[in-house]
Amino acid sequence: MTLEELQEIKAGEELARSQKKKSIHVCVAAGCMSQNAEAVLNTIEGQLKEKGLAKEIDVKGVGCMGLCAAGPLVSIEPENRMFQEINPANAFLVTDNLEKGKKTTNDLASDSPFFKRQYKIVTENCGVINPERIEEYIAFDGYLGLYTVLHDLDQNEVVQNLIKSGLRGRGGGGYPTGLKWSTVAKAVGSKKYVICNADEGDPGAFMDRSVLESDPHRILEGMAIAAYAIGADEGFIYVRAEYPLAISRLKVAIKQAERKGLLGNNIFGTTFNFTISIRLGAGAFVCGEETALIASIEGGRGTPRPRPPYPAESGLWGKPTLINNVETFANIAPIIRKGADWYASIGTETSKGTKVFALAGQVVNTGLIEVPMGMSLREIIFDIGGGIPGGRKFKAVQTGGPSGGCIPEEFLDIKVDYESLTKLGSIMGSGGMIVMDENSNMVDVARYFMEFCMSESCGKCVPCRVGTAQIYDILTKFAERRATEADLTLLEELCDVVRNTSLCGLGQSSPNPVLSTLKYFKHEYMERIQAEVNQE
Amino acid sequence: MAANGQIKIFTLKIDGKDVSARSDQTVLQVCRENEFFIPTLCHLEGLSNIGACRLCMVEVAGQRKLLPACTTMVSEAMEVTTTNDKLAHYRKMTLELIFSERNHTCSVCVSNNHCELQFLSQKLGINHIRVPYRFPKFAVDASHPYFILDHNRCILCTRCVRVCDEIEGAHVWDVSGRGIQAKVITELNQPWGSADTCTQCGKCVNVCPVGALSEKGRSVAENTKRSGFLPYLTARRKEKI
Ligand SMILES: Cc1cc2nc3c(=O)[nH]c(=O)nc-3n(C[C@H](O)[C@H](O)[C@H](O)COP(=O)(O)O)c2cc1C
Ligand code: SF4
Ligand code: SF4
Ligand code: FES
């Protein structure tokens, strides 16, 4: 592959597009796929053929359009007219209304705040390109970033770019990506690895899955740029086996990239070699923790080990290893293409760029959104999310999944970034955001997440293995109104031990849902302390 | 560990006292050399360290989190605190959690008076357990001709797993299950007596800190253990290479 060939592919795609009058996009990401999107795609194709429009109108399956709850979603481009809840029986609403004008019952306002308030970097191609065609990725400047680094930048310049961009890891910890790359780049050793963490185990989170299903080449390009920067020639993507569609699209993408010489030996005619293989995780949440993930790739039991040494120094098979999250890698190519300064201009002082959230729970618009860092919770929940359904009152929003906390109404105007959420006793985490209304009971929420941590604990260290089970039992006593004052004291003490002495992040952060609900909704615990004890 | 095998000598402070250490030593090793007491259960000299029991947690100046002494390597000018009220509290709570997990009825245990868990509890002044006992139902595996495995007493330190894998080289033992359901297994969760890979060397029994592994025919309080053989064995092996 050369730059000219890359540009030729892009020009070819643009020519093909200009020869079609319109293009119909059908979302074929997992959410819509599970609601029969494949049949919708086929029906629309059939109807166009009948109408003799097959030549002028292009139909294609694309990645996630975001509003998953209203799927299957279909759009007519270039005017971006969107339809919701399309099935084979009402697909004619799309094909009969190809010309502007007549509104249908299934029209979806594509200029609503849900779409307009978003800022897409990571998901810029989601819902736009066919994820199974590398040519479409290239048509949107795909692999141009890789070309640029290989030809115009030395390794240190790539790292410095990343440092300047201010990008932080999207896997939960928010560790500065540039700093991590520079550490691995400096680590001693001729063999190094790049790992993409696509284990995404938080209940309700599907940001990474969506990116992998909608735009897999973006991850391959990000990993290749990272490999060049740190001096690695081999990469692994660790995906959970529960993501069959993402896995199959990744496989297709890797094959296409290899065939085009964008992975393999002498990429873009340089001395840079890089291969990527896929490893499947068996669905243990803890295997998303980096040291457990590495143990799992090595073929061992997926249990964390104490750090230091960090993977940057001693990772996969004892070699220096860079491990980043899917969304982190998805930001790399745009940063190279558009520049670190551009990226650093988005977001807050300490948290740059955008964040993808999976909006769920008691909110009108559930689905996947990408917003600039620093947007307030209120804007996210009420403008983009459309508020609470049924006129009920907002009570709290849970961020960060089982490692996060519940934030009450008084902090809705806080600007979302890593620091602000941590200060409130929650975390950014990987991007789960669950909205709760006045009917939800915070003890139950805490108990739900503690049950998750208890059953996902690997069982290696005492505080997490036994502590989470004990905390769960106490929360059950609260839920059943059998708790006493002594239970409350013990609950607080146990949370403290588990947080401060557990081996890995799973244990250390597992008390967060309890601690944050104790902080903001203590009365709900107090109400559940046995009446007679209360009166003593 | 120092790069390219070069060992350096460091000076560090433990509880305010200056001590010297080799760069390939752990904080625990240096503390023990200098007779600072740090409780441990999963650690055993001669086996790899895994940092699982969390009893050896210490404070290191400049570190936000507590660190396990058994897996933390020394560094120049490190300042370690081995004991204070908070650490003592966490250690007690951790022991209480261990006691609450399974069925540790000392008075009828083969290891009564020879048990590391019992010893540490006495040493750390534990006189009652505030964390509710979980009373799980666990089986006893008596299928082996010489030894008995009683899951009710197991604290999941995995010393048996490591000694069998790292020293004996048989890898009969492993851990199966997650979280509170985790337990040690022999071979692919087959009865120990049917494990062809078991060489019947008894190393696991001798390193088990509690009464989970014992020799057959021992009655209450008769299960004495010899774990001192390990450092000796590893040292002799190193000499040979
Ligand atoms: C229990 C646990 C689960 C985790 N699961 C994931 C995961 O599913 N995906 C992920 O990217 N990071 C996960 N992490 C964080 C990783 O350990 C690691 O920090 C991350 O992959 C680094 O990438 P980043 O710097 O790009 O965020 C998890 C951490 C813990 C403690
Ligand atoms: S904190 Fe939990 S998940 Fe992490 S090592 Fe300990 S037992 Fe395993
Ligand atoms: S059987 Fe003994 S040595 Fe093995 S894990 Fe249990 S307590 Fe530790
Ligand atoms: S002895 Fe260090 S964690 Fe067990």
Side-chain angles (χ1 to χ4, degrees):
Chain A
M1 181 68 73
T2 62
L3 184 60
E4 290 68 39
E5 285 168 334
L6 208 60
Q7 284 162 344
E8 247 167 60
I9 295 177
K10 180 174 174 174
E13 285 295 307
E14 278 165 3
L15 180 68
R17 213 180 315 145
S18 69
Q19 286 165 345
K20 301 272 185 187
K21 248 172 83 187
K22 285 180 196 298
S23 164
I24 300 180
H25 293 183
V26 181
C27 173
V28 290
C32 290
M33 204 69 147
S34 67
Q35 300 181 65
N36 222 5
E38 186 105 63
V40 173
L41 184 71
N42 294 335
T43 310
I44 290 180
E45 272 176 348
Q47 289 172 347
L48 290 177
K49 238 181 235 145
E50 273 170 34
K51 291 176 192 280
L53 291 173
K55 278 224 170 71
E56 353 179 337
I57 312 279
D58 182 34
V59 187
K60 66 180 179 191
V62 296
C64 184
M65 299 188 193
L67 198 59
C68 306
L73 298 177
V74 176
S75 76
I76 303 177
E77 305 296 339
E79 61 263 34
N80 193 227
R81 176 171 179 188
M82 296 186 75
F83 296 87
Q84 57 185 339
E85 292 170 16
I86 295 299
N87 53 49
N90 68 9
F92 66 89
L93 290 176
V94 181
T95 49
D96 284 354
N97 288 292
L98 287 170
E99 294 312 318
K100 284 183 196 158
K102 226 172 93 201
K103 273 253 174 298
T104 73
T105 46
N106 289 48
D107 261 272
L108 178 64
S110 59
D111 56 355
S112 70
F114 180 85
F115 296 103
K116 287 292 163 232
R117 298 296 306 273
Q118 295 197 41
Y119 188 135
K120 297 192 168 189
I121 298 174
V122 169
T123 58
E124 60 184 350
N125 288 344
C126 295
V128 176
I129 67 167
N130 176 344
E132 301 197 349
R133 289 190 63 232
I134 188 170
E135 292 80 6
E136 295 200 23
Y137 179 65
I138 292 173
F140 286 89
D141 290 333
Y143 291 106
L144 199 60
L146 179 59
Y147 176 87
T148 309
V149 299
L150 292 184
H151 280 267
D152 302 343
L153 303 176
D154 67 25
Q155 294 176 299
N156 181 49
E157 284 168 334
V158 182
V159 171
Q160 290 308 322
N161 253 312
L162 257 285
I163 292 176
K164 253 186 257 152
S165 76
L167 175 64
R168 296 170 65 173
R170 301 293 192 242
Y175 191 81
T177 307
L179 182 58
K180 197 188 262 189
W181 286 25
S182 112
T183 313
V184 190
K186 286 187 176 146
V188 188
S190 53
K191 182 77 188 175
K192 295 177 186 177
Y193 295 100
V194 173
I195 298 177
C196 172
N197 187 342
D199 194 51
E200 196 168 54
D202 287 20
F206 57 101
M207 296 75 55
D208 296 349
R209 187 195 75 199
S210 200
V211 173
L212 294 172
E213 285 173 357
S214 308
D215 197 9
H217 284 286
R218 168 178 298 265
I219 306 306
L220 306 187
E221 186 180 2
M223 289 177 71
I225 292 171
Y228 171 74
I230 64 154
D233 65 354
E234 214 179 329
F236 292 92
I237 305 178
Y238 188 88
V239 205
R240 49 180 26 227
E242 290 93 331
Y243 284 179
L245 193 58
I247 294 164
S248 99
R249 291 201 176 140
L250 273 174
K251 282 188 181 156
V252 170
I254 291 173
K255 243 189 226 125
Q256 290 171 341
E258 283 170 348
R259 214 169 290 141
K260 291 240 179 308
L262 295 165
L263 286 177
N265 289 338
N266 304 107
I267 298 172
F268 278 121
T270 66
T271 54
F272 174 63
N273 306 332
F274 185 56
T275 56
I276 296 180
S277 344
I278 296 177
R279 288 290 181 277
L280 301 190
F285 174 60
V286 74
C287 283
E289 194 281 334
E290 55 191 25
T291 60
L293 186 151
I294 287 170
S296 173
I297 294 185
E298 288 171 352
R301 182 175 152 89
T303 50
R305 61 154 176 80
R307 302 173 306 174
Y310 287 87
E313 181 194 339
S314 172
L316 192 55
W317 292 297
K319 307 288 185 221
T321 302
L322 173 75
I323 173 160
N324 276 130
N325 166 260
V326 170
E327 195 181 327
T328 312
F329 280 124
N331 275 298
I332 305 301
I335 289 174
I336 299 294
R337 267 191 278 118
K338 300 188 188 168
D341 294 335
W342 161 77
Y343 196 82
S345 72
I346 309 160
T348 68
E349 189 62 35
T350 56
S351 311
K352 301 300 184 187
T354 59
K355 180 75 195 83
V356 184
F357 290 103
L359 201 54
Q362 300 303 315
V363 58
V364 173
N365 302 323
T366 59
L368 207 70
I369 59 164
E370 180 172 0
V371 297
M373 295 276 190
M375 187 178 261
S376 75
L377 285 167
R378 192 183 298 282
E379 289 170 282
I380 296 177
I381 297 165
F382 288 89
D383 295 351
I384 296 181
I388 318 294
R392 290 188 299 275
K393 244 176 74 82
F394 169 89
K395 182 165 184 181
V397 55
Q398 210 277 351
T399 68
S403 324
C406 296
I407 301 171
E409 171 145 34
E410 59 202 280
F411 299 110
L412 272 182
D413 290 309
I414 214 90
K415 304 224 167 304
V416 173
D417 72 6
Y418 289 99
E419 277 66 29
S420 67
L421 292 181
T422 307
K423 220 156 79 201
L424 292 177
S426 186
I427 57 164
M428 174 82 75
S430 59
M433 200 176 262
I434 304 171
V435 181
M436 288 171 277
D437 69 16
E438 53 192 337
N439 293 334
S440 40
N441 156 348
M442 303 318 267
V443 176
D444 284 349
V445 172
R447 183 164 165 266
Y448 166 79
F449 284 113
M450 191 50 68
E451 181 176 17
F452 179 84
C453 290
M454 169 179 81
S455 38
E456 292 298 330
S457 159
C458 78
K460 178 172 180 172
C461 73
V462 174
C464 172
R465 181 181 74 234
V466 194
T468 54
Q470 291 287 3
I471 294 174
Y472 175 76
D473 287 350
I474 297 180
L475 292 175
T476 305
K477 280 175 101 177
F478 275 96
E480 294 171 356
R481 297 178 184 269
R482 291 187 285 116
T484 62
E485 296 272 1
D487 286 322
L488 187 62
T489 315
L490 188 58
L491 178 67
E492 284 170 338
E493 274 184 46
L494 283 171
C495 285
D496 179 47
V497 181
V498 173
R499 163 187 261 189
N500 287 305
T501 65
S502 290
L503 194 162
C504 84
L506 193 159
Q508 289 161 11
S509 61
S510 65
N512 284 351
V514 183
L515 291 170
S516 70
T517 47
L518 269 175
K519 185 165 163 191
Y520 300 121
F521 302 94
K522 191 156 189 173
H523 59 277
E524 298 201 15
Y525 286 85
M526 299 311 288
E527 284 160 16
R528 286 169 178 77
I529 287 181
Q530 268 179 339
E532 60 267 45
V533 181
N534 245 351
Q535 283 154 11
E536 267 175 18
Chain B
M1 234 163 285
N4 58 37
Q6 277 246 314
I7 289 178
K8 297 193 193 107
I9 307 298
F10 294 148
T11 311
L12 44 150
K13 263 196 169 58
I14 300 178
D15 292 341
K17 183 181 157 198
D18 286 319
V19 299
S20 65
R22 289 157 44 118
S23 54
D24 63 349
Q25 286 186 301
T26 62
V27 171
L28 180 65
Q29 283 172 321
V30 178
C31 286
R32 293 241 157 123
E33 257 175 31
N34 290 282
E35 297 180 354
F36 289 94
F37 172 74
I38 295 181
T40 57
L41 275 175
C42 66
H43 165 82
L44 189 62
E45 201 57 45
L47 296 181
S48 62
N49 284 305
I50 55 166
C53 72
R54 315 307 278 174
L55 282 172
C56 68
M57 303 302 274
V58 294
E59 269 181 19
V60 175
Q63 297 285 327
R64 205 164 38 90
K65 289 180 177 165
L66 302 177
L67 292 172
C70 66
T71 61
T72 304
M73 305 305 292
V74 292
S75 60
E76 178 57 31
M78 194 177 211
E79 287 180 33
V80 181
T81 305
T82 64
T83 331
N84 58 29
D85 288 351
K86 191 175 76 188
L87 290 171
H89 170 72
Y90 286 154
R91 286 173 186 156
K92 274 182 154 177
M93 284 289 274
T94 306
L95 281 177
E96 287 188 45
L97 285 171
I98 295 178
F99 273 112
S100 78
E101 185 179 16
R102 300 226 172 147
N103 305 303
H104 294 279
T105 341
C106 302
S107 55
V108 298
C109 177
V110 283
S111 283
N112 196 6
N113 297 329
H114 311 288
C115 171
E116 293 182 39
L117 179 60
Q118 206 178 28
F119 165 77
L120 283 181
S121 324
Q122 281 156 3
K123 176 113 186 168
L124 298 186
I126 293 194
N127 32 38
H128 76 289
I129 312 288
R130 288 175 312 145
V131 187
Y133 288 104
R134 298 179 53 81
F135 299 119
K137 289 196 173 61
F138 271 104
V140 175
D141 181 349
S143 60
H144 194 280
Y146 308 123
F147 313 123
I148 293 181
L149 161 63
D150 184 353
H151 288 290
N152 292 293
R153 311 272 194 255
C154 175
I155 60 167
L156 287 169
C157 68
T158 71
R159 284 187 191 178
C160 55
V161 179
R162 283 173 287 150
V163 80
C164 187
D165 176 49
E166 295 166 13
I167 309 296
E168 179 61 8
H171 200 127
V172 175
W173 294 93
D174 221 320
V175 179
S176 101
R178 275 209 290 261
I180 197 79
Q181 318 282 349
K183 60 172 192 153
V184 289
I185 53 166
T186 41
E187 286 200 330
L188 295 167
N189 206 6
Q190 299 304 304
W192 193 1
S194 69
D196 299 333
T197 49
C198 175
T199 61
Q200 315 193 333
C201 73
K203 287 190 179 65
C204 54
V205 177
N206 279 306
V207 299
C208 179
V210 291
L213 292 175
S214 60
E215 283 178 26
K216 274 195 171 165
R218 299 284 171 108
S219 151
V220 173
E222 288 183 356
N223 194 31
T224 48
K225 308 241 167 149
R226 296 169 292 127
S227 59
F229 70 92
L230 256 186
Y232 172 73
L233 208 66
T234 28
R236 287 299 297 268
R237 284 194 186 168
K238 271 194 200 132
E239 271 169 32
K240 282 226 170 108
I241 298 166

